[in-house]
Amino acid sequence: MTAIEAGRTVAVVGTGTMGQGIAQVALVAGHPVRLYDALPGRAAEAAGAIGRRLDRMVEKGKLPAAEREAARARLLPATTLPELADVALVVEAVVEELSAKQELFAALEDVVSEDCLLATNTSSLSVTAVAGALRLPGRFVGLHFFNPAPLLPLVEVVSGFATDEAAATTAYETAAAWGKSPVRSADTPGFIVNRIARPFYAEALRVYEERAADPATIDAVLRESGGFRMGPFELMDLIGQDVNEAVTRSVWEGFFRDPKFTPSLAQRRLVEAGLLGRKAGQGWYDHAEGAVEPLPHTAEPCPAPAAVAVHTQLAGPAAVLQELIEEAGIKVTRERAPGEHEGCIRLPGGARLALTDGQPATGDLSGPTIRFDLALDYRAATRIALAPGAEVSSQDVREAVGLFQALGKAVSVIEDVPGLIVARTVAMIVDFAADAEARGVASREDIDTAMRLGVNYPGGPSEWADGIGRHWLWHLLDSMHHQYAGGRYAPSWALRRSLKQNRRML
């Protein structure tokens, strides 16, 4: 099967923000669109709102005036379900309640033709469960758009347990014909994006709960060292703490309370207090007019050491640091210390500066140690997090800070926490992605596409794994697994298997 022809009618049921956005996408793609809402008058109001959006598109030069008029003529509110009898596709965007969706589709099945494609825009419910009571569940799919639907390109095309391959293909091709970037997903809690993105929030919350760093510092490190467009705390405030926590809780429950998906008590308290983020004026940050934005913890300027020694080879992702140090005019000598198996930078005072490996710096058997965080691109990074062990002197810390400042980096000194900030976040995202691929949720290519387009990640998890090295990522998670009880950081078998497969290819 191919895409639904542009001349055939699409119905959108539920006329809130998402429903209006989906209707606008179908309308601009050339379809006649019928809007239906159970509340009287809402469909007509939504049609008016969509018309005003089309006006703005014309004003911005994104839509010719003639096409706007044609689109307005194709947009019709419906007051009863039987008015949808001749549509080729119904996309539902009503409240996220299973019973409400099931009742709606049962009623639609009595109205539309047997070749009509039925789709839900659910982001948290099981597509299989929504279709469970239907007479023809094979024609039922998930079409998960991201908000705002007219702007964001990603659409997750979700196949339920009973979805026919032909129906999924039609949905995929239709989304592509509408100018979207569709990806295929199996029906699993969170689908692709909401499943794999959980560590981005969860690890930041964990670092905060362990009092290793404050939200502003964690956000800054993930933006300026990790390359993420927004930090997790500011993004949670934008999404809404209640919405973000509800998704986390839904995925956690969907996976039978797997510890890898455990929600945050700190976020629960924020929701209970009504501090929901931007929409409430207060969340992790104060969003009141005139509020002062908190600054990340940034170390004061320190003198750079005149020389450092590199012991063995720095770990894969940090190997470029030797070049950067030399380019900064700092003398580098290469040494091999007896019993030194881990690559590190030896500071003038004798302390070791080493990339985090998932173990704390405190108690390191090799001597006083300062761990530095992962950067996805050490040349481009503008901030680095350091975690000194308890045995390290203040002078040692100043030398480490001065070294990275000489490389043009702001430095945030945080408490000694395994995996620091970027490293643990990226490793968990890569592990979640490997697990999802191995379980047939989506292809590696679709996972990378989904994470880049759905949540604006600076790269796909598989791309990160190839660049950083799966062995390093697995070792970091395995080390963290031995630091924390409960299994949260146990590396998946899928990541271990991909590591072995890569070795065989070498």
Side-chain angles (χ1 to χ4, degrees), residues 316-317 374 430 462-476 495 499 502:
L374 173 70
V430 169
S462 182
E463 295 171 357
W464 293 340
D466 290 341
I468 297 168
R470 285 174 172 79
H471 183 271
W472 185 85
L473 292 162
W474 182 89
H475 177 71
L476 181 129
L495 186 61
L499 186 154
N502 281 9

Side-chain angles (χ1 to χ4, degrees), residues 265-288:
L265 180 58
Q267 188 176 38
R268 174 95 294 257
R269 292 291 180 259
L270 215 62
V271 172
E272 290 172 340
L275 305 178
L276 305 181
R278 288 184 179 273
K279 61 186 176 185
Q282 177 73 50
W284 292 112
Y285 298 105
D286 184 353
H287 300 283

Side-chain angles (χ1 to χ4, degrees), residues 94-102 125:
V94 303
V95 64
E96 285 285 272
E97 293 179 1
L98 180 60
S99 59
K101 293 180 187 290
Q102 288 176 325
L125 299 176

Side-chain angles (χ1 to χ4, degrees), residues 2 8 36 54 94 118 141 146 157 168 178 235 307 348 386 432 485:
T2 58
R8 300 191 67 188
Y36 175 80
L54 296 177
V94 303
L118 301 179
V141 298
F146 287 73
V157 180
W178 290 0
L235 185 52
L386 303 180
F432 275 37

Side-chain angles (χ1 to χ4, degrees), residues 5 103 134 198 214 237 327 387 438-439 444:
E5 297 88 347
E103 290 171 11
L134 292 181
R198 292 348 296 159
D214 61 276
D237 269 5
E327 290 169 9
R439 294 176 186 270
R444 181 176 298 191

Side-chain angles (χ1 to χ4, degrees), residues 46-57:
I50 294 169
R52 290 189 290 276
R53 289 200 190 99
L54 296 177
D55 290 340
R56 289 195 290 273
M57 291 178 68

